[in-house]
């Protein structure tokens, strides 16, 4: 059986020249099946995201050259069935990169997908 767990991670205020990292544990209502090599069959996919640039805490209409969001999953998390990590990075214009009055924050929504062993829901 395939199971889907949506998860929304908050991106705290981060300087424009820094990557933002957020993690969250995910629990399924059953045991995740392992493949022939003994690895859990689980993955994560991006659903949506919202990143907002602020200047001195106020929303700023801002030109961004690049938004980069990277997802990773650790299926061997200690207290959860899996742990997801989101890494967000903006590449703003050069004159604002190191200006401490600028920051970005928001959220990233992911979908964690796992194959559960038979008999689990």
């Amino acid at each position: 059986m395939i199971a889907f767990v949506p998860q929304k991670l908050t991106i705290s205020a981060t300087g424009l020249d820094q990557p933002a990292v957020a993690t969250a544990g995910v629990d399924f209502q059953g045991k995740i099946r392992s493949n022939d090599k003994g690895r859990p069959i689980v993955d994560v996919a991006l659903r949506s995201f919202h990143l907002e640039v602020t200047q001195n805490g106020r929303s700023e209409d801002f030109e961004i050259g690049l938004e980069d969001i990277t997802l990773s999953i650790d299926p061997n998390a200690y207290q959860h069935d899996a742990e997801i990590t989101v890494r967000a990075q903006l590449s703003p214009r050069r004159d604002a990169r190191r200006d401490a009055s600028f920051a970005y924050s928001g959220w990233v929504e992911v979908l964690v997908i796992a194959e559960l062993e038979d008999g689990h829901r």
Side-chain angles (χ1 to χ4, degrees):
M1 174 180 153
I2 302 294
F4 303 91
V5 175
Q7 190 81 355
K8 194 172 193 176
L9 291 89
T10 301
I11 302 296
S12 299
T14 304
L16 293 182
D17 63 335
Q18 300 293 317
V21 179
T23 61
V26 179
D27 295 305
F28 289 92
Q29 295 181 352
K31 185 172 180 183
I32 298 173
R33 181 186 304 267
S34 294
N35 66 14
D36 294 340
K37 295 180 180 181
R39 296 186 185 121
I41 303 171
V42 60
D43 207 350
V44 60
L46 181 65
R47 288 184 78 185
S48 61
F49 68 94
H50 173 81
L51 298 175
E52 179 180 28
V53 174
T54 58
Q55 184 176 26
N56 296 318
R58 295 176 46 176
S59 185
E60 173 73 19
D61 186 16
F62 197 80
E63 180 181 324
I64 297 293
L66 174 70
E67 297 168 325
D68 183 41
I69 296 179
T70 305
L71 307 175
S72 61
I73 189 161
D74 177 3
N76 300 309
Y78 176 67
Q79 294 182 345
H80 300 281
D81 292 331
E83 183 174 273
I84 23 176
T85 301
V86 171
R87 184 177 187 275
Q89 177 74 59
L90 300 184
S91 293
R93 60 182 194 242
R94 290 179 191 253
D95 65 325
R97 282 187 188 157
R98 298 187 191 263
D99 185 337
S101 69
F102 285 100
Y104 68 99
S105 61
W107 50 264
V108 176
E109 190 173 15
V110 300
L111 186 62
V112 186
I113 307 157
E115 185 174 330
L116 302 183
E117 290 185 359
D118 291 338
H120 289 93
R121 291 188 165 246

